[in-house]
């Protein structure tokens, strides 16, 4: 994973490529947590976090997380180390900067930028996207409109044919409309759009469902009642959630009881391996026959999860094996 300088431009030696959520992960972008403490519950509530957070503990969690990825053979780019001195001074004070999943997404070999759903997060989008565009000019597709929010925690790349997107707390239908033609252009045949309840417990799609196996989606049971608007380049139709997923080769593992962030916000390292929180309910994974033989790697990310997201939220996949 070499970097080369061409004048003022830095390029990486690989090109981003992702066609699923479960193939072998080769390169990811992360960001270390900011250098600020969130000292008390009242402050946490004002910044939409669940509890006070100590920077030192958050950094310990981050280093364990980063180390687990590297030990699994995944190459890690921490974008906080790539900023200019002036940008770094601001970045060090941006509380949500480690939730990099929202900032951009690789669809096939095309990278699309997101738009922040709240103004508090806009600086990190600007900073990270400038780096991504610099590193990957052939892949990065510049689409910018701050009025059309789209955070990529609301997106699952199911396989080479289908993408599932949620309109919710942080993503608008206008944001989806802004990128849909580019997703078709990248090679995907269908985009499924779901409109989930708007609450802190359903903030993004990946707090409600996740790909757990090459033919299995784990989802909160209420999602069975929600229709999906299915778009193709030429047409549209409506399916129920299970029907849409089945059409693309996925069974659904419905969850009636769950601890939202640690249980659902996990990361596929490869088709056999899941990276999960130590706070996750292990029995959920043992109860399903397709997950019983999975290699489960547990890491301590409790301090980071207090920011309102989990392991998947903290990871931007740049390269997965086809």
């Amino acid at each position: 994973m070499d970097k080369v300088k061409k004048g003022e431009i830095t390029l990486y030696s690989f090109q981003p490529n992702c066609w699923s959520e479960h193939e072998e992960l080769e390169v990811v972008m992360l960001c270390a947590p900011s250098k600020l403490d969130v000292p008390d519950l009242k402050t946490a509530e004002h910044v939409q976090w669940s509890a006070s957070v100590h920077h030192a503990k958050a950094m310990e969690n981050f280093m364990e997380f980063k180390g687990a990825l590297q030990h699994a053979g995944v190459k890690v780019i921490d974008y906080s180390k790539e900023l200019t001195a002036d940008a770094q001074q601001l970045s060090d004070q941006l509380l949500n900067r480690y939730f990099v999943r929202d900032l951009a997404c690789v669809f096939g070999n095309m990278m699309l930028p997101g738009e922040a759903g709240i103004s508090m997060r806009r600086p990190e989008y600007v900073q990270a996207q400038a780096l991504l565009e610099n590193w990957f000019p052939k892949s990065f597709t510049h689409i910018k409109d701050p009025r059309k929010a789209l955070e990529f925690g609301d997106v699952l790349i199911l396989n080479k044919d289908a993408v599932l997107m949620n309109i919710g707390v942080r993503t608008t239908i206008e944001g989806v409309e802004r990128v849909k033609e580019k997703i078709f252009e990248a090679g995907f045949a269908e985009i499924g759009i779901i409109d989930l309840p708007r609450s802190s417990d359903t903030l993004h799609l990946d707090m409600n469902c996740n790909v757990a196996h090459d033919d299995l989606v784990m989802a909160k049971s209420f999602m069975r009642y929600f229709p999906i608007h299915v778009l193709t380049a030429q047409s549209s139709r409506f399916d129920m959630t299970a029907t849409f997923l089945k059409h693309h080769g996925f069974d659904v593992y419905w969850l009636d009881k769950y601890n939202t962030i640690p249980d659902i916000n996990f990361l596929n390292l490869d088709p056999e391996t899941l990276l999960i929180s130590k706070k996750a309910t292990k029995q959920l994974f043992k109860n399903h026959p397709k997950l019983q033989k999975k290699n489960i790697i547990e890491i301590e990310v409790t301090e980071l999860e207090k920011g309102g997201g989990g392991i998947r939220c903290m990871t931007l996949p740049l390269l997965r094996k086809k």
Side-chain angles (χ1 to χ4, degrees), residues 137-157:
K138 292 180 181 177
S139 303
F140 192 93
T141 303
H142 196 77
I143 307 172
K144 199 90 179 150
D145 189 340
R147 298 164 299 173
K148 298 179 179 180
L150 171 56
E151 298 192 349
F152 284 108
D154 275 319
V155 175
L156 288 177
I157 299 175

Side-chain angles (χ1 to χ4, degrees), residues 66-305:
K66 181 179 177 180
L69 289 167
Q70 292 173 325
H71 184 72
V74 181
K75 294 180 172 63
V76 174
I77 301 170
D78 179 352
Y79 90 74
S80 70
K81 297 181 181 300
E82 305 287 341
L83 297 164
T84 65
D86 286 347
Q88 207 160 45
Q89 186 176 22
L90 171 63
S91 178
D92 285 345
Q93 300 174 77
L94 299 176
L95 288 177
N96 295 296
R97 71 176 186 174
Y98 64 96
F99 293 130
V100 295
R101 173 71 64 156
D102 302 322
L103 307 178
C105 186
V106 180
F107 294 91
N109 55 21
M110 180 186 293
M111 179 181 289
L112 298 179
E115 286 291 349
I118 55 171
S119 59
M120 185 180 182
R121 297 201 62 187
R122 282 186 189 145
E124 70 206 66
Y125 279 67
V126 172
Q127 290 187 337
Q129 288 170 9
L131 289 173
L132 290 166
E133 187 173 15
N134 188 3
W135 297 337
F136 309 113
K138 292 180 181 177
S139 303
F140 192 93
T141 303
H142 196 77
I143 307 172
K144 199 90 179 150
D145 189 340
R147 298 164 299 173
K148 298 179 179 180
L150 171 56
E151 298 192 349
F152 284 108
D154 275 319
V155 175
L156 288 177
I157 299 175
L158 297 174
N159 53 35
K160 290 185 177 183
D161 293 321
V163 172
L164 180 60
M165 307 180 77
N166 174 50
I167 301 164
V169 178
R170 298 285 181 83
T171 295
T172 63
I173 185 60
E174 292 83 7
V176 173
E177 292 282 346
R178 182 172 63 90
V179 299
K180 69 175 185 178
E181 297 305 327
K182 291 296 182 183
I183 294 173
F184 293 137
E185 187 181 318
F188 296 88
E190 291 192 346
I191 301 171
I193 302 172
I194 195 167
D195 189 345
L196 294 175
R198 289 152 171 77
S199 70
S200 59
D201 198 43
T202 55
L203 184 68
H204 284 135
L205 181 63
D206 62 11
M207 293 173 71
N208 297 277
C209 65
N210 202 348
V211 175
H213 195 60
D214 60 4
D215 61 356
L216 186 71
V217 168
M218 185 182 288
K220 294 179 179 179
S221 58
F222 78 83
M223 286 182 65
R224 72 172 77 233
Y225 301 104
F226 279 71
I228 288 178
H229 190 193
V230 185
L231 305 180
T232 72
Q234 295 82 29
S235 65
S236 71
R237 69 178 190 276
F238 286 93
D239 280 341
M240 297 306 289
T241 297
T243 307
F244 174 73
L245 291 171
K246 189 70 176 176
H247 179 71
H248 292 288
F250 290 89
D251 292 328
V252 186
Y253 177 19
W254 298 112
L255 304 181
D256 294 313
K257 294 181 180 178
Y258 42 77
N259 187 357
T260 292
I261 292 173
D263 288 350
I264 295 173
N265 206 260
F266 52 80
L267 181 71
N268 292 265
L269 296 184
D270 59 52
E272 289 78 41
T273 310
L274 294 178
L275 186 65
I276 70 169
S277 167
K278 280 191 176 176
K279 292 288 186 182
T281 309
K282 312 307 179 297
Q283 201 60 40
L284 288 178
F285 299 92
K286 295 176 182 177
N287 284 348
H288 197 284
K290 289 184 178 179
L291 302 181
Q292 288 168 353
K293 294 183 180 179
K294 284 276 188 181
N295 177 24
I296 304 290
I297 300 173
E298 299 176 44
I299 58 170
E300 177 58 70
V301 285
T302 304
E303 202 72 10
L304 295 171
E305 289 173 330

